Amino acid sequence: MAATMHDVSRLAGVSIKTVSNVINDYPYVREETRRKVLDAIETLGYTPNLSARSLRSGRTNVISLMIPDLRNAYFAELADSVMRAAAERGLTVLIEQFGSERQREIDTVRQPRARMVDGVLYSVLTLDQDDVDLIAEVTTPVVLLGDRNFGAPRDHVTMRNTEGAKAATEYLLRSGRRRVAAFGAHPGEVIGSAALRLEGYRQALAEAGLPFDESLVVPVGSWHRRNGAEGMRDFLATGTDFDGLVGFNDAIALGALRVLQESGRRVPEDVAVMGFDDIDETQYSMPTLSTIDPGREEIARIAVDLLVRRIEAGSEAFVPEEIAVPFRLVERESTGG
């Protein structure tokens, strides 16, 4: 006999209402309680019932988009692109936000709601090669987004991080800049966005015959405007000479831009600034921000199309596809464009 919500309640030692709150991702549940409920659900193999209509049809016409952080403008705009692409296919999108904590991301992947939708688009943040089995556990069709390609047996749609960062760096070098900062590094990272974009920066320097200077690699923690501003203040305090900057995303580049101007440095005359992501705000900053358009609309469209194909194919075997969409360099005022 299939497990019920009452069974989960008894095993976890909580009320049915608490079980419901955990299933529906209610934010004000203590982490210890949430873990008890999720462990009970996993132990019992409990899956919430779909609506009667969904049971009859076998479809909910709902897909899930799992992303790290809607405060990050790239993910907010990606969500908008996904919702519009899904609407064209008659689908509704349920957005799941898991933040930057690894355990919270794992819990989001394992939660019952991941089985209550027709398919999942999942932008991986913290998982790695050791987590392949976790992705394989999800019986719902899944298409992976983002930069972490670690051999999971799923379709994967991503941007050309290394090539884009290389093009941004080359553009500044061609304009005569010789001390270009790599802004947004995550020391020790191997397969994430920061690592891939730093590799593109390195390649551009090498092909231009310029040495790699560790003093020009600027760590920035979370990629938000305030972190970009703080990172630039710290960098300026070192007294390092630089005449160009490749921001590893637009948000931190915009934060750095503000601090550069506050310090009396002229952009682009003294420092040319490039971003990455082409978020909407880059068209309205002062000066407007040159950036890499990674093909967000194309990523959303291809990912939704792939997911629909997998949903319609059911349990039919397939070879996972790996798709990296083209990028575009956008010249604006921050580099003299």
Side-chain angles (χ1 to χ4, degrees):
M1 181 180 296
T4 68
M5 192 179 290
H6 290 274
D7 296 329
V8 175
S9 168
R10 282 193 295 269
L11 182 59
V14 300
S15 68
I16 291 177
K17 176 63 174 174
T18 299
V19 174
S20 176
N21 286 342
V22 172
I23 290 172
N24 290 290
D25 208 22
Y26 187 69
Y28 303 112
V29 177
R30 287 190 308 165
E31 191 57 35
E32 181 182 356
T33 303
R34 186 184 301 277
R35 287 299 319 156
K36 286 181 179 178
V37 173
L38 290 173
D39 287 345
I41 287 171
E42 183 175 1
T43 298
L44 295 170
Y46 170 69
T47 302
N49 289 327
L50 302 173
S51 67
R53 178 185 61 82
S54 299
L55 284 172
R56 287 194 300 270
S57 67
R59 297 282 179 82
T60 66
N61 291 327
V62 176
I63 62 173
S64 175
L65 172 64
M66 297 181 181
I67 53 177
D69 189 358
L70 281 169
R71 294 176 303 163
N72 182 312
Y74 173 78
F75 289 116
E77 294 186 18
L78 175 65
D80 176 72
S81 298
V82 167
M83 286 188 289
R84 286 188 283 106
E88 292 178 0
R89 305 299 296 263
L91 299 172
T92 299
V93 180
L94 173 67
I95 297 176
E96 303 278 1
Q97 178 179 249
F98 52 79
S100 59
E101 295 182 6
R102 173 177 165 80
Q103 189 57 55
R104 179 65 173 158
E105 181 172 353
I106 291 172
D107 288 346
T108 301
V109 174
R110 283 181 168 161
Q111 70 181 348
R113 281 196 298 181
R115 283 77 169 170
M116 295 171 65
V117 294
D118 293 338
V120 176
L121 299 177
Y122 171 29
S123 185
V124 182
L125 181 65
T126 66
L127 304 190
D128 55 30
Q129 280 84 356
D130 294 334
D131 301 301
V132 170
D133 290 343
L134 173 62
I135 303 297
E137 286 176 15
V138 182
T139 55
T140 307
V142 176
V143 172
L144 301 178
L145 306 175
D147 314 309
R148 291 182 173 253
N149 181 13
F150 47 90
R154 303 288 185 173
D155 296 310
H156 181 215
V157 184
T158 187
M159 62 184 71
R160 298 181 183 274
N161 283 282
T162 300
E163 296 93 329
K166 179 183 177 184
T169 308
E170 288 174 337
Y171 176 76
L172 294 182
L173 296 176
R174 284 198 303 269
S175 70
R177 312 291 169 157
R178 284 297 175 266
R179 298 278 297 169
V180 177
F183 191 74
H186 289 165
E189 185 175 274
V190 177
I191 60 174
S193 300
L196 294 170
R197 294 175 192 180
L198 182 60
E199 176 59 24
Y201 167 84
R202 281 178 172 271
Q203 289 178 10
L205 291 178
E207 291 185 13
L210 295 173
F212 176 77
D213 184 347
E214 194 70 48
S215 71
L216 289 171
V217 178
V218 186
V220 177
S222 298
W223 282 358
H224 297 289
R225 291 168 187 78
R226 67 177 180 278
N227 304 103
E230 291 168 1
M232 179 50 66
R233 290 191 187 98
D234 292 343
F235 184 49
L236 291 177
T238 68
T240 303
D241 178 49
F242 68 106
D243 57 8
L245 180 144
V246 173
F248 285 0
N249 86 339
D250 287 339
I252 59 173
L254 290 168
L257 184 63
R258 174 60 184 262
V259 172
L260 284 169
Q261 293 170 320
E262 289 175 351
S263 73
R265 289 168 175 79
R266 298 169 301 161
V267 177
E269 292 85 356
D270 300 324
V271 180
V273 178
M274 286 285 305
F276 199 117
D277 284 342
D278 195 28
I279 62 174
D280 189 57
E281 187 180 346
T282 57
Q283 302 179 62
Y284 306 103
S285 58
M286 294 287 288
T288 54
L289 183 66
S290 296
T291 186
I292 297 294
D293 172 3
R296 182 176 53 253
E297 295 287 333
E298 189 76 352
I299 289 171
R301 183 189 63 78
I302 291 174
V304 170
D305 286 349
L306 269 176
L307 189 59
V308 169
R309 283 167 50 193
R310 299 313 180 199
I311 292 168
E312 293 176 346
S315 59
E316 180 182 324
F318 66 92
V319 177
E321 293 191 36
E322 177 76 20
I323 299 174
V325 305
F327 67 89
R328 179 174 64 97
L329 192 147
V330 182
E331 300 178 66
R332 296 198 180 106
E333 296 166 348
S334 67
T335 57

